[in-house]
Amino acid sequence: AQSVTQLDSQVPVFEEAPVELRCNYSSSVSVYLFWYVQYPNQGLQLLLKYLSGSTLVESINGFEAEFNKSQTSFHLRKPSVHISDTAEYFCAVSGKGAQKLVFGQGTRLTINP
Amino acid sequence: NAGVTQTPKFQVLKTGQSMTLQCAQDMNHEYMSWYRQDPGMGLRLIHYSVGAGITDQGEVPNGYNVSRSTTEDFPLRLLSAAPSQTSVYFCASSYQAGPYEQYFGPGTRLTVT
């Protein structure tokens, strides 16, 4: 079975500051890793994913995440945030061959002007 | 494409009542799933389906039933509503289980009094 821990429930930052949202996972098999974003009063949408190959993956809006197998982590980073990045971010893991996607508890990112 | 649609958007039930949350997708996806979202707990998988006629339990299946008679539809039935089922419910679909992006509906906010 897989599990995910998001280490921060809330992260407040100032606009144009860098941010890191932390995610650690547990699994006895190889995994696929995902970050989903939920804007206020909406469903979730995929931000980026790691399946295999390069451990650094990027989204179209400037976020990136790095798969670290030895530390079982998949932290999400952005060098300069914008007000429009205000949302809740969910890390998720699926074991290869598994049929379930397991989500973390979510991190609420709040951007202050 | 409408993507994933859910009805109703809001619902208030009394304890003991039953109801069905509707979910439909028009992307010909094999995999569909139901999650509930509660503050501080992320998304938890209720039931999922890997194709028409095939369903299985997720992390929190008690009190809920599902069926998948067509590829497009995946209704969630609450048999006898309880206050503990007050939550936001999301339906999602993907091409298959595993490495594929899940597409989420807009959610149903359910209150049980």
Side-chain angles (χ1 to χ4, degrees), chain A residues 36 38 44 49 90 99 104, chain B residues 31 37 42 48 90 99 102 104:
Chain A
Y36 282 82
Q38 184 180 32
L44 281 72
K49 63 182 178 182
F90 293 92
Q99 296 179 330
Chain B
Y31 186 88
Q37 182 179 21
Y48 66 96
F90 288 100
Q102 290 209 18
F104 284 80

Side-chain angles (χ1 to χ4, degrees), chain A residues 33-35 46-51 57-58 74, chain B residues 99-101:
Chain A
L33 291 159
F34 306 82
W35 277 98
L46 181 67
L47 188 61
L48 48 74
K49 63 182 178 182
Y50 169 78
L51 303 182
V57 291
E58 298 177 351
F74 191 55
Chain B
Y100 301 98
E101 175 180 359

